[in-house]
Amino acid sequence: LNLLRDYLSLRYPIPFDHKRALAKILYNFITSEWSLAHLDCLDLASICLTKIIKKKDVHGLCLPWKPFYDTLLKFVDNRDRGSLPLTASPNTVTRCRSSLVSLANKLRFHYPHTTTKELLDLLLPNLDASRDDFDLTQSMLSLFLPVKHGKANIDLWLPRLFETSRWQSSDFSMYLWFKLWARLAKHNIGVLDLSSYLPEIFSRYLQKINLGRGNPNKGSAYRYPIQTLWLLGTKGRPSIDGHMSKLIVYTLHLKMCKHLVSNFFQIAKTSFHPSNAGGHLQPLSTLLSGLGTYYGRRIGRERMKKSQYSAELNLQTADDYIVDTLLPITKLAMYSKSHRMIAATQSFLRNVASVHPQRVFPVLLDEWIPALKNTTQSHRTMSALSCLGWLGDTLLNRKINPPGCTSLESILWLSLPGIDPVDLMKTGKTLMMYTLIFYTVPLIDAKEYKGKAAQGAEFDDESQRATMCLPEWCPQFLDRVLLVIRQQEGFEKQNPLDQATYHLIHRCVRAFF
C-alpha cells in the first residue's frame, strides 16, 4: 500500500482497466472486517483509492454504497465501538476518519442509480429534529446522497429535505444543508431550476451572518455534536460562507440569482467599508474569496469545454455583471483594517481580473497610482503595494492583459520610495512586488537602442518598450536596497524579522540580476 501510494503520488499513467481493477480491490479491502483490525492499512487504502478516483475518469466503475456506509458507521463513537481494535491510538482513529470522509466525497459518483431510493428508505424515517440521532442521520445523508442521477431522483428528496431544513437552524445543521444545496447546484446546471428555492436560501444566509446586530456571525449557542463532528471533514469551526459562494456561482446563469446577489450586496455594501470592523468581516471575506475562486473555476471549465451542460448556459465573458456588482465593493474592501478581508479581496480580484482584465485593471490602476503618489496616506500605499504583489503577474501578462505594461514605468518609479529602512513591512511588500515584476517582464539591454525608435517587430511589445527606463531606474533601486542594508543595526539569525528581511532582499536582488 505504501508503494502504491507513492506510485500514485508521482502521477504515473495507469490504464483505465487497471484503475478499475485496483479500485474494486481496494474498496473490497476497506469494507472488509480484516481492515478494521489494521487501521494503518485501512488509512493507506483509503488514501490510495481516493487518488485513483479523484479525477472522475474511471468510467464504468460501479460500487455498492451499503458496505462503505456500514464501515463508516463503525467509527462513530458509542456505536459498535467493539469492532475497532482496543489498542488503536486516538491519532490513528482520527487519521482513518479523515481519509474515509475524503473518500466518501469521491465515491458518490460511482454508486448505482438505485442508491437514492435505498438511502432514502433507510434514513428519511430518522430525519426528525427531535430524535437524538438526527445529526448522524443528516451527516450520513449529506455524505452519501448522489446528486447526479437525474431530475427524477432529485425530486424524490429535494422538497422533503428543504422542508425539513426550515425546522433546524443550528450551525451544524445549516452547514450540511448549504453544503448539499451547493453541490446540487454545481452538478445540475441545465437539469434543475433552483429559482424557486433561492430567495429563501439567501434570506436564511442573511439571517445567519447577522449583519450589524450584536456580535455578527456569532451563531446559535448550539454545541457541535462531538460524535459526528468529524463527518463534516472540516478543520476548525465549520462555515457556510464558502458553500454559499459556490451556490451563487453555479446558479449565476439564472435571472433570479443575479437579482438576489445585487440585493444582497446592496444591503452588505456598508459592511465592507474600511471604517467598519467586527465579526461580520469573517463571513463576508470568506464569501468574497469563494466567489472569485468558483467563478474562475467555472469560467475555466467552460472555456476548455469540459462542462457537461449546454453552451447556452455558459457564463459569457462579455457579461460584466460580476464586475459591475462587486468591483465597487472591492475598491472599499482592499483598504480594510482586517488582514483577512484584504487577502480575500486580493484573491477575488486576481481571479476576476484574469477573466475581465480590460474592465478590472483600468479601475484598479486609477486607485493604485494616486495611492503610490500620495505617501501621506500610508494605509492606502500599503494596500496598493500589497495588491500589486498579488495581481502584478496578471497585470503584466501579455497574453491576458496586453496593455498592462504601459503602466510599468509609473509603477516602478512611484513604488521606489516603498523601500524604506524605517518601515520594514512596507519594504517587504515593495520587494515582493519587484521580485514578481523581474520574473514576469522580459528585460532588454537598452543601451544599444538609446535614441532609436523601436521599429523592429520584436520591439513592438509594450513590455519591451517600457524597460527602456531601466538605465535610470536600476541604480536608484540598488541604492535604496543598499540603504536598507546599511541602516540595519545588526543581523541576528535568531531574529525572525532579520531573517525575513534578509530572505526578501536576497530573493529580490537575485531576481533582478
Side-chain angles (χ1 to χ4, degrees):
L1 286 169
N2 271 311
L3 288 172
L4 179 59
R5 181 191 60 182
D6 295 341
Y7 187 88
L8 293 169
S9 299
L10 293 171
R11 299 182 182 180
Y12 286 118
I14 303 176
F16 290 121
D17 291 341
H18 293 181
K19 279 189 175 184
R20 276 194 295 271
L22 276 172
K24 291 178 180 178
I25 292 170
L26 290 170
Y27 184 80
N28 290 333
F29 170 76
I30 291 168
T31 55
S32 67
E33 292 293 333
W34 189 89
S35 65
L36 293 174
H38 302 80
L39 295 186
D40 289 329
C41 294
L42 175 61
D43 179 39
L44 282 172
S46 301
I47 293 172
C48 290
L49 182 53
T50 303
K51 288 179 179 291
I52 289 173
I53 64 175
K54 185 176 181 180
K55 292 188 176 180
K56 308 182 185 70
D57 58 354
V58 189
H59 304 296
L61 177 65
C62 187
L63 300 170
W65 67 274
K66 193 63 168 64
F68 186 75
Y69 176 92
D70 293 335
T71 300
L72 200 62
L73 206 59
K74 291 174 182 177
F75 281 83
V76 179
D77 288 342
N78 303 323
R79 290 181 64 95
D80 200 13
R81 175 69 186 185
S83 300
L84 301 181
L86 297 176
T87 56
S89 67
N91 289 338
T92 303
V93 174
T94 300
R95 282 202 322 271
C96 283
R97 285 175 168 179
S98 177
S99 57
L100 286 171
V101 170
S102 299
L103 177 59
N105 288 319
K106 304 300 178 186
L107 282 175
R108 282 193 299 262
F109 300 97
H110 301 285
Y111 293 148
H113 281 267
T114 57
T115 300
T116 302
K117 189 176 185 307
E118 294 170 0
L119 198 64
L120 294 177
D121 291 341
L122 177 67
L123 294 178
L124 273 188
N126 301 329
L127 197 66
D128 185 349
S130 62
R131 292 176 60 99
D132 293 337
D133 59 351
F134 174 77
D135 295 320
L136 177 61
T137 302
Q138 188 187 0
S139 300
M140 300 301 275
L141 196 62
S142 176
L143 267 180
F144 283 85
L145 193 61
V147 295
K148 294 186 68 176
H149 288 174
K151 188 175 184 300
N153 276 317
I154 294 172
D155 289 340
L156 294 175
W157 55 266
L158 180 57
R160 164 71 187 277
L161 294 190
F162 199 81
E163 177 65 27
T164 304
S165 70
R166 293 171 176 158
W167 308 110
Q168 181 56 275
S169 60
S170 68
D171 290 352
F172 182 87
S173 186
M174 287 284 284
Y175 174 85
L176 289 173
W177 292 131
F178 272 79
K179 182 179 180 180
L180 183 60
W181 308 148
R183 188 155 57 88
L184 184 67
K186 177 182 177 181
H187 296 293
N188 290 279
I189 297 176
V191 177
L192 191 68
D193 189 350
L194 293 173
S195 298
S196 59
Y197 297 97
L198 287 176
E200 188 169 342
I201 292 175
F202 270 82
S203 177
R204 290 188 202 174
Y205 179 70
L206 193 58
Q207 292 172 8
K208 198 64 180 175
I209 61 175
N210 195 18
L211 292 177
R213 290 193 318 221
N215 185 5
N217 204 38
K218 181 179 179 181
S220 64
Y222 181 83
R223 293 183 177 181
Y224 290 106
I226 302 299
Q227 293 84 0
T228 55
L229 182 60
W230 61 274
L231 287 169
L232 299 184
T234 61
K235 295 180 181 180
R237 184 183 178 88
S239 168
I240 66 174
D241 312 301
H243 295 303
M244 185 64 190
S245 61
K246 184 177 182 179
L247 175 68
I248 289 173
V249 169
Y250 288 104
T251 55
L252 203 56
H253 57 283
L254 301 174
K255 291 183 179 180
M256 176 59 73
C257 180
K258 290 184 177 181
H259 172 70
L260 293 168
V261 169
S262 299
N263 289 345
F264 174 82
F265 282 103
Q266 189 65 31
I267 295 170
K269 185 175 181 179
T270 55
S271 300
F272 287 93
H273 195 274
S275 62
N276 287 329
H280 66 276
L281 292 181
Q282 180 176 344
L284 290 178
S285 60
T286 306
L287 178 70
L288 188 62
S289 176
L291 285 173
T293 300
Y294 290 115
Y295 184 75
R297 286 182 187 176
R298 179 173 178 180
I299 290 288
R301 289 187 64 83
E302 290 173 354
R303 283 183 175 180
M304 293 186 290
K305 298 181 179 179
K306 290 185 176 181
S307 56
Q308 299 178 357
Y309 43 86
S310 171
E312 297 176 355
L313 299 172
N314 288 353
L315 298 180
Q316 302 298 325
T317 52
D319 184 2
D320 294 334
Y321 170 78
I322 199 78
V323 178
D324 295 336
T325 305
L326 293 177
L327 192 56
I329 288 174
T330 56
K331 287 168 62 178
L332 297 173
M334 65 183 175
Y335 300 121
S336 174
K337 297 176 183 177
S338 167
H339 294 291
R340 186 186 183 112
M341 178 60 79
I342 293 173
T345 304
Q346 292 169 352
S347 175
F348 172 81
L349 289 173
R350 182 181 175 87
N351 284 289
V352 175
S354 63
V355 181
H356 304 282
Q358 308 302 326
R359 286 281 287 109
V360 174
F361 282 123
V363 177
L364 294 181
L365 287 171
D366 288 342
E367 290 284 323
W368 294 339
I369 298 298
L372 293 174
K373 287 180 179 178
N374 189 358
T375 56
T376 58
Q377 296 180 330
S378 58
H379 67 288
R380 294 176 67 88
T381 303
M382 289 285 285
S383 295
L385 290 171
S386 181
C387 288
L388 282 168
W390 266 80
L391 283 82
D393 55 345
T394 308
L395 171 66
L396 302 174
N397 189 304
R398 290 171 292 167
K399 293 182 179 179
I400 297 176
N401 186 39
C405 286
T406 56
S407 55
L408 176 61
E409 186 172 356
S410 299
I411 292 172
L412 287 175
W413 284 111
L414 291 174
S415 57
L416 201 54
I419 305 178
D420 186 356
V422 178
D423 190 344
L424 293 180
M425 182 67 72
K426 183 167 64 175
T427 299
K429 291 186 181 296
T430 307
L431 291 175
M432 287 167 58
M433 183 194 70
Y434 281 153
T435 304
L436 183 142
I437 290 175
F438 296 151
Y439 277 125
T440 303
V441 179
L443 306 182
I444 63 170
D445 183 2
K447 288 183 180 178
E448 55 184 294
Y449 301 102
K450 190 174 182 180
K452 298 180 181 179
Q455 296 177 353
E458 68 271 23
F459 298 106
D460 285 346
D461 194 340
E462 291 290 348
S463 63
Q464 291 182 333
R465 285 201 289 268
T467 58
M468 293 294 184
C469 70
L470 288 178
E472 293 79 22
W473 182 85
C474 289
Q476 296 194 37
F477 164 72
L478 291 175
D479 285 341
R480 301 291 298 188
V481 173
L482 291 171
L483 181 63
V484 173
I485 296 173
R486 289 192 193 102
Q487 295 197 12
Q488 297 305 303
E489 296 181 355
F491 178 77
E492 296 180 8
K493 289 186 177 180
Q494 304 302 324
N495 188 329
L497 185 59
D498 286 350
Q499 283 282 353
T501 305
Y502 163 74
H503 285 297
L504 284 171
I505 292 175
H506 179 269
R507 187 174 179 224
C508 185
V509 174
R510 182 184 179 89
F512 171 78
F513 283 109

